[in-house]
Amino acid sequence: MHQKGAKGMRQPKLHKWADKCTEILIYFMVIFSPWAFGTTEHWSIWTMNITAYGLGVLLLSKWIIRWSTGFRPWPSEAPKNEISPRQHRLRLIHKYCNLLTAICMLLLLGYILTSAINARASFDLSTHEYTYFEGINKNLPHSYDANGTWFLFWQYLGLIILFWSTRDWLVGARPTRSSISLNPRLKRLLFLICLNGGALALECILQRIYYGDYRGKLLFLVEPGINSGNIAQFGPFAYRSNAASYLNLIWPLGLGLFIQLGRENLDYGKRRIGNGPELLLIPCTILAASGPIISSARGGALVMIGLLILVAGSLMFMNVRSKFLRFSVSMALFVGLGTAYYLGWEKIEPRLINIFSDNMSSRTQIYETTLKMIDDYGKFGSGPGSFEAITQFELGGILSRWESWAHNDYLEFYLTFGKAGGSLMCCTLFFLTVSATLILFFKPQKAVTWFGLMSLLGVAIHATGDFPLQTLSILIPVCILSTLLTVSQKYEGNTASPLV
């Protein structure tokens, strides 16, 4: 059946093909990124970058097709005189937030590009030597590691393309039958994220059990050069904390999707729960929720417990009329916590007890040095992506090991992007937050939106003690969830939703 646009015209075949290819590439990024050893190596990062650039080509082709044919995949907005003044104001605020978000993203990308072109030096990781450049403009953003800044630029370009391509694909879905029904494309995407996360959590747990206290292999295949001990790894991630952060993204989202689909079936569809595939989300949620504690990552475990308390509090105030649905969610959390205690508490308990006595694994020295360097590098910072290069000269006499990250993303962003770049980041986050707030309060699908927001909150908290926001396999679902929080719902009973 052909989808019809705003003017009743059929979707052009080329547009339909581009939309389908967009869906396939988004799914590929969701599945591939965590399994490719956490997408921390150059080959896997560039695989994701190139895939994102493919999404950009498809997005551009769809824009050209729409411009040349007049086709619009979404319904027309209601005229101003057919909606209330309040709805009109909300629509304008939402549109301006989306516009300002796009502008801030472009400015941030331009800031990184300028820093790379106007680089003060370049650092060679193989020889640990600097090459200095002449003729830079100190009044413009600049970097002390051109290679690192260029590398980050290509990643951020891919993430921004992913954000807008996913958003364009989601808003092009057919309108749903009722306001409570979830966008069908969004439903498929969230299902894939949760099922993939559940399968990943199962592999992580089996790998931890199999290797025990000995040296481990990622995905039972590769022994990493660093963190070769099984206790330091988790599944395909060479660093257990990244795995815990990824799983803390998954399980609240799985709960939100389960509640949403359960409400559609029980409260509105008048069908029994289980008529759809939503029951598959229960084991995925249990496995993903137990993973952070089993991983022995202290930060991930504490974030998981904090999110668990927040979820429990939310369930008390959430309008879930089905007792069976409420019971199912509570049991999933209880079983997940029990599994985590049985398989992981013995390993993580001494680490939690010693969390301050070991200076948080020497993180306090890194934080102190980073704060000192922030004052040294001025308003433009050391350059995006330059932390690994510049910090070795400061920490070389303090720590015996090579440090690639600050283990506090906000300190690292402040140091490398400086006050100017950090302000652009804050502006982007502000406009996304305003847009998400409008969606949260005026969108009928509040369960998915609220639990998706909790997933992002977990990553944001974990970033104060580690580097999830520097890891592409975590940034990809973060980017997709951010899209979810800024996309409104269209349904056949009211195609003129105030937030489009």
Side-chain angles (χ1 to χ4, degrees):
M1 184 175 179
H2 291 283
Q3 180 178 341
K4 294 185 177 182
K7 299 178 181 179
M9 66 179 297
R10 286 187 174 184
Q11 179 176 202
K13 288 185 178 180
L14 282 177
H15 191 281
K16 185 177 181 180
W17 176 85
D19 232 19
K20 193 64 180 177
C21 288
T22 297
E23 182 175 9
I24 292 171
L25 291 183
I26 292 172
Y27 290 173
F28 172 71
M29 294 185 75
V30 167
I31 296 172
F32 179 87
S33 57
W35 291 97
F37 307 109
T39 313
T40 55
E41 299 180 345
H42 276 64
W43 67 269
S44 54
I45 291 173
W46 274 107
T47 300
M48 292 293 91
N49 287 348
I50 293 170
T51 305
Y53 304 154
L55 285 174
V57 172
L58 291 170
L59 180 60
L60 182 61
S61 68
K62 287 190 286 185
W63 285 346
I64 293 173
I65 293 169
R66 292 168 195 169
W67 174 77
S68 60
T69 64
F71 173 75
R72 293 184 65 207
W74 48 82
S76 300
E77 295 180 356
K80 179 179 177 180
N81 58 358
E82 293 184 12
I83 60 176
S84 67
R86 179 170 172 269
Q87 288 179 323
H88 178 65
R89 288 194 298 270
L90 290 174
R91 177 193 290 177
L92 287 178
I93 293 173
H94 192 255
K95 279 187 174 181
Y96 283 129
C97 283
N98 288 334
L99 176 61
L100 291 171
T101 298
I103 292 173
C104 287
M105 286 182 175
L106 289 175
L107 289 175
L108 182 63
L109 202 61
Y111 182 90
I112 301 173
L113 179 61
T114 304
S115 299
I117 296 173
N118 190 44
R120 176 70 181 87
S122 182
F123 185 74
D124 190 334
L125 285 174
S126 59
T127 62
H128 296 178
E129 292 181 351
Y130 266 116
T131 301
Y132 288 91
F133 306 129
E134 299 295 334
I136 73 158
N137 189 338
K138 294 184 178 180
N139 295 318
L140 293 175
H142 49 271
S143 172
Y144 284 83
D145 181 17
N147 293 332
T149 303
W150 275 114
F151 193 57
L152 191 72
F153 170 79
W154 297 118
Q155 291 182 61
Y156 275 44
L157 175 61
L159 289 170
I160 290 173
I161 291 173
L162 173 64
F163 178 91
W164 293 106
S165 295
T166 304
R167 190 180 192 281
D168 180 86
W169 175 69
L170 288 176
V171 299
R174 296 175 63 87
T176 56
R177 290 177 298 174
S178 66
S179 62
I180 193 62
S181 298
L182 202 61
N183 180 318
R185 291 182 176 180
L186 179 60
K187 184 188 299 184
R188 293 198 300 270
L189 180 57
L190 295 183
F191 244 107
L192 181 66
I193 293 173
C194 294
L195 292 177
N196 188 59
L200 186 87
L202 178 61
E203 194 282 331
C204 291
I205 295 170
L206 292 177
Q207 183 176 305
R208 173 58 60 86
I209 295 172
Y210 180 80
Y211 288 110
D213 295 328
Y214 300 98
R215 297 168 72 92
K217 292 184 177 181
L218 308 180
L219 295 178
F220 300 97
L221 297 173
V222 178
E223 183 176 317
I226 58 172
N227 295 335
S228 57
N230 182 45
I231 192 66
Q233 314 162 1
F234 203 54
F237 292 85
Y239 184 50
R240 60 193 170 196
S241 187
N242 285 341
S245 188
Y246 181 86
L247 295 177
N248 277 330
L249 266 173
I250 301 300
W251 69 264
L253 186 64
L255 281 181
L257 185 58
F258 178 73
I259 293 172
Q260 176 65 45
L261 298 181
R263 290 180 64 191
E264 287 184 25
N265 280 344
L266 293 173
D267 296 350
Y268 297 89
K270 305 302 181 185
R271 296 176 297 172
R272 295 191 317 172
I273 191 169
N275 283 6
E278 63 270 7
L279 288 181
L280 293 173
L281 295 169
I282 294 296
C284 293
T285 301
I286 292 173
L287 290 167
S290 62
I293 291 179
I294 298 174
S295 73
S296 301
R298 292 179 292 196
L302 292 174
V303 169
M304 182 269 171
I305 294 170
L307 289 176
L308 188 66
I309 295 171
L310 188 58
V311 166
S314 300
L315 289 174
M316 294 175 60
F317 298 100
M318 189 168 287
N319 182 24
V320 180
R321 290 182 282 179
S322 168
K323 293 181 180 179
F324 178 76
L325 188 60
R326 192 179 290 272
F327 174 78
S328 299
V329 172
S330 301
M331 283 303 299
L333 293 175
F334 180 77
V335 173
L337 194 59
T339 304
Y341 180 82
Y342 180 74
L343 295 176
W345 186 253
E346 182 181 355
K347 297 291 185 183
I348 200 173
E349 183 181 14
R351 299 196 74 239
L352 291 173
I353 293 173
N354 299 326
I355 191 170
F356 295 111
S357 61
D358 65 351
N359 290 323
M360 298 174 63
S361 300
S362 303
R363 282 176 173 79
T364 52
Q365 291 96 328
I366 301 175
Y367 298 161
E368 291 170 359
T369 304
T370 303
L371 287 170
K372 176 180 175 295
M373 288 191 292
I374 287 172
D375 294 330
D376 295 339
Y377 280 96
K379 64 179 179 180
F380 292 122
S382 62
S386 65
F387 181 85
E388 185 176 19
I390 65 166
T391 195
Q392 309 312 320
F393 299 97
E394 300 288 344
L395 291 172
I398 301 175
L399 301 178
S400 58
R401 63 184 181 183
W402 185 273
E403 293 292 345
S404 299
W405 315 106
H407 291 274
N408 182 315
D409 283 333
Y410 306 111
L411 280 180
E412 184 167 338
F413 284 139
Y414 195 11
L415 169 63
T416 57
F417 281 80
K419 296 180 178 63
S423 298
L424 286 174
M425 283 186 158
C426 291
C427 288
T428 305
L429 180 62
F430 172 77
F431 294 123
L432 282 172
T433 303
V434 173
S435 184
T437 302
L438 290 174
I439 294 293
L440 179 63
F441 285 104
F442 301 103
K443 183 178 180 181
Q445 298 77 24
K446 289 185 179 180
V448 171
T449 307
W450 175 245
F451 282 91
L453 189 60
M454 277 195 280
S455 294
L456 294 178
L457 178 63
V459 174
I461 294 173
H462 200 172
T464 60
D466 247 307
F467 53 92
L469 299 182
Q470 314 290 341
T471 308
L472 199 57
S473 58
I474 297 173
L475 286 173
I476 287 172
V478 164
C479 191
I480 291 173
L481 286 180
S482 300
T483 305
L484 153 69
L485 295 176
T486 59
V487 172
S488 60
Q489 179 75 25
K490 304 186 298 293
Y491 59 96
E492 293 175 352
N494 179 15
T495 57
S497 175
L499 301 179
V500 177

